[in-house]
Amino acid sequence: MPTFDELEAWLPRLLHGMVFTVQITVGAFVLAVVLGLVVAVLRLSPRRRLVYIPATIYVEVLRGTPLILQLFFAYFALPSAGLRLSPVVAAILGLGLNTSAYLSEVFRGAILGVDKGQWEASEALAMTWLGMMRHTILPQAFRSAIPPTGNYAISLFKDSALASTVSVSELLFTGQVIGSETFKYMQVYLVIGLLYLALSYPTSRAVLRLERRLDLSNRTPTPRRPRRDLAAANSGS
Amino acid sequence: MTKSEEAPLISARDLRKSFGHVEVLRGVTLDVGRGEVVAIIGPSGSGKTTLIRTLNALETIDDGEITVDGICLQRATGGRLEKLDRRRIRDARRELGMVFQRFNLFPHLTALGNVMCAPHSVNGTSRNECESHARTLLEQMGLADRADNYPHQLSGGQQQRVAIARALAMKPKAMLFDEVTSALDPELVGEVLKVMRDLAEQGMTMVIVTHEMRFAQRVADRIIVMDKGSIIESGSPEQIFTQPKETRTATFLHAVLHPDDM
């Protein structure tokens, strides 16, 4: 293990790198969720070919090519097309688009997995397509999408290390720099591993908790006067 | 038909429908007048459920035409369904409440939320107004104290009554009931039939697909008997139950009313 002095010298730099790691992860995840939902909705019905086909190509291209190639493309290739992105933005774009392709499949499956009776009940109530999505279908799909989405979030967090290849000085990159200065690779990489774990493990626990909290069958009987009631009574009239 | 001067509220002309090679509706014509209660009975696989589901376009038709309160809901000729404006379909559906065999309540919403959801999102009625109307409906269903329960905390009979309240919340002109007591434990059937009887007495137009023969006999103005995708007989409850014209009707009724007699 590294000595106390070594840790004291490395940690500020490593934590600084970790800030980039978190930034990239959060940015890419938000992008991936938004794009993933849009693509999922576009791919709900193969009969609407005008949107289904382009969306399918999007998913297949992003899933069928290496993530690292997509990152290189965003950072090294786009400038020759006149688009120069900063390393962090290129990393967020590359990781975000890539994850969006996978998430779109998760979301699509979750939406189509909502019981047929729920769609019929919503339709019979004359709900619009948007109203259905918002009030009846997506809230249910959302619940079944949480566990796989959590997995992708954690795997995105770890894949953010690939941003080091497009010269983002995130956690792994910083570690490599320290390693090349001190040649104490064993110690540096051990510390880095622990730092990744220190974030990914609590995240996976949090996802599990969220999943349990939203599980409808665990829902305890509501109190006679729920808060929403009181809020409505206070705000109304 | 009762009140024959008025145009029927629901009018189905010569409906045909096949699933693959199986023809489930073979030219069915049905008019439902305003305030009329029509019960559709018949052996399973006779097309009752398919018929009632075409009436609010949950099922498409291959041939024929369906009008609801003057709005054409779907029209087809020779297996080709005419493309109709989705808004018109919604307009027609707004006039028709539907209750399903398996309740289909929204599991993530409370009983109150289920009843409020559609009027709020479809009609844009204010939350407060929706809520007070929803509470009134739940009270009518005898569920005032269940408003804050989630569906899985309710018995089947209670869930089905919430589903009826949910459909009524849209203030429909007619209600469609598709075997709404078939998924219930026997001791819970009565409470659902009671609220349906109340509705009928209040003058609601109703189409009821059911296996509850005594209920049909008591509540319906007219009984329709289906077999193998066709209406084989239609008449008043007294006529159908006491002197059916068709032997198939007689056989079916005998089998249902005296199941231990086979």
Side-chain angles (χ1 to χ4, degrees):
Chain A
M1 285 307 284
T3 66
F4 202 76
D5 288 346
E6 280 168 344
L7 266 183
E8 208 181 348
W10 300 346
L11 264 184
R13 293 168 74 187
L14 289 176
L15 289 178
H16 189 257
M18 206 160 171
V19 171
F20 279 110
T21 295
V22 171
Q23 253 177 23
I24 291 168
T25 306
V26 171
F29 186 67
V30 171
L31 183 67
V33 167
V34 173
L35 284 177
L37 193 58
V38 171
V39 174
V41 165
L42 296 181
R43 294 192 68 212
L44 282 181
S45 162
R47 274 180 307 173
R48 295 215 308 257
R49 291 169 56 180
L50 218 62
V51 291
Y52 181 84
I53 293 174
T56 305
I57 293 172
Y58 174 89
V59 172
E60 292 305 335
V61 166
L62 284 170
R63 287 199 308 180
T65 56
L67 170 56
I68 195 160
L69 174 66
Q70 293 161 22
L71 282 171
F72 284 176
F73 195 86
Y75 187 62
F76 298 115
L78 283 185
S80 63
L83 189 59
R84 198 169 295 279
L85 302 174
S86 79
V88 171
V89 171
I92 289 178
L93 195 70
L95 285 160
L97 291 189
N98 183 269
T99 307
S100 77
Y102 290 93
L103 281 186
S104 79
E105 283 298 275
V106 168
F107 296 159
R108 188 169 73 109
I111 293 171
L112 294 176
V114 173
D115 182 56
K116 193 166 144 263
Q118 297 290 314
W119 297 79
E120 291 189 343
S122 314
E123 274 188 60
L125 287 165
M127 293 179 113
T128 60
W129 187 85
L130 266 179
M132 252 163 85
M133 283 296 142
R134 208 177 124 208
H135 298 288
T136 62
I137 303 301
L138 286 185
Q140 293 182 63
F142 171 65
R143 286 179 166 78
S144 56
I146 284 176
T149 304
N151 279 341
Y152 278 115
I154 288 162
S155 114
L156 173 64
F157 170 65
K158 293 176 296 170
D159 287 347
S160 71
L162 283 174
S164 62
T165 61
V166 292
S167 74
V168 178
S169 47
E170 44 68 75
L171 186 50
L172 181 68
F173 187 92
T174 313
Q176 281 166 327
V177 173
I178 296 175
S180 65
E181 289 167 7
T182 61
F183 295 104
K184 298 192 167 159
Y185 284 104
M186 168 72 94
Q187 290 90 329
V188 175
Y189 286 149
L190 270 174
V191 173
I192 289 177
L194 286 173
L195 286 175
Y196 273 109
L197 257 181
L199 270 188
S200 65
Y201 182 68
T203 307
S204 83
R205 300 298 301 179
V207 171
L208 202 65
R209 268 228 311 278
L210 182 66
E211 197 185 321
R212 287 215 189 108
R213 228 184 59 199
L214 288 174
D215 187 351
L216 292 165
S217 58
N218 276 350
R219 197 156 280 195
T220 47
T222 38
R224 274 289 127 83
R225 293 248 78 192
R227 269 165 297 156
R228 204 187 55 203
D229 247 2
L230 299 173
N234 290 339
S235 70
S237 72
Chain B
M1 197 191 309
T2 56
K3 303 178 186 178
S4 53
E5 309 96 87
E6 285 180 47
L9 182 57
I10 301 171
S11 164
R13 299 268 136 243
D14 209 25
L15 305 186
R16 285 176 190 281
K17 168 82 183 174
S18 300
F19 291 119
H21 294 296
V22 187
E23 207 177 3
V24 282
L25 295 179
R26 307 171 182 231
V28 172
T29 294
L30 170 71
D31 282 327
V32 181
R34 287 163 205 275
E36 194 182 15
V37 176
V38 175
I40 305 174
I41 63 173
S44 50
S46 59
K48 313 180 293 282
T49 284
T50 308
L51 172 61
I52 200 171
R53 285 165 57 84
T54 62
L55 297 183
N56 71 349
L58 283 183
E59 211 74 75
T60 57
I61 50 176
D62 298 338
D63 237 307
E65 180 174 1
I66 297 170
T67 347
V68 175
D69 201 19
I71 306 167
C72 177
L73 177 61
Q74 48 177 341
R75 187 190 295 143
T77 35
R80 281 191 159 269
L81 190 68
E82 246 176 62
K83 195 165 169 66
L84 294 168
D85 185 14
R86 289 204 68 80
R87 185 170 296 166
R88 279 177 70 191
I89 295 182
R90 287 217 324 277
D91 283 344
R93 279 176 172 164
R94 219 181 280 218
E95 311 297 346
L96 300 169
M98 177 134 187
V99 186
F100 300 86
Q101 182 176 351
R102 291 187 53 245
F103 330 136
N104 296 346
L105 288 182
F106 305 127
H108 60 294
L109 298 176
T110 60
L112 185 69
N114 267 277
V115 182
M116 286 175 58
C117 180
H120 185 57
S121 107
V122 177
N123 298 340
T125 319
S126 79
R127 270 200 93 82
N128 282 349
E129 205 175 311
C130 284
E131 177 167 342
S132 67
H133 185 219
R135 286 197 187 274
T136 314
L137 285 169
L138 285 173
E139 204 177 312
Q140 273 173 32
M141 298 294 133
L143 293 167
D145 58 335
R146 293 294 183 177
D148 302 320
N149 282 85
Y150 285 89
H152 73 93
Q153 299 163 343
L154 300 172
S155 74
Q158 291 170 334
Q159 288 190 52
Q160 197 58 297
R161 284 182 284 150
V162 173
I164 294 173
R166 178 176 70 175
L168 289 172
M170 292 293 290
K171 300 180 179 153
K173 293 202 170 102
M175 290 282 285
L176 310 176
F177 294 89
D178 182 16
E179 300 195 21
V180 296
T181 55
S182 302
L184 295 176
D185 290 331
E187 75 274 19
L188 302 177
V189 169
E191 61 191 59
V192 173
L193 295 183
K194 185 188 171 299
V195 299
M196 289 170 68
R197 205 165 55 230
D198 292 347
L199 266 181
E201 276 162 14
Q202 289 160 25
M204 175 61 81
T205 308
M206 295 163 74
V207 180
I208 306 167
V209 169
T210 188
H211 291 295
E212 304 289 336
M213 294 303 145
R214 301 206 184 286
F215 174 73
Q217 189 172 5
R218 261 175 82 180
V219 172
D221 297 315
R222 187 156 53 109
I223 306 268
I224 294 205
V225 189
M226 286 189 74
D227 189 30
K228 299 198 177 86
S230 306
I231 293 178
I232 55 169
E233 191 165 354
S234 156
S236 70
E238 301 82 71
Q239 184 251 307
I240 298 285
F241 282 96
T242 55
Q243 21 185 247
K245 290 186 196 118
E246 293 282 323
T247 34
R248 276 187 289 172
T249 306
T251 317
F252 167 70
L253 287 175
H254 186 81
V256 179
L257 295 172
H258 309 282
D260 45 354
D261 215 30
M262 297 298 276

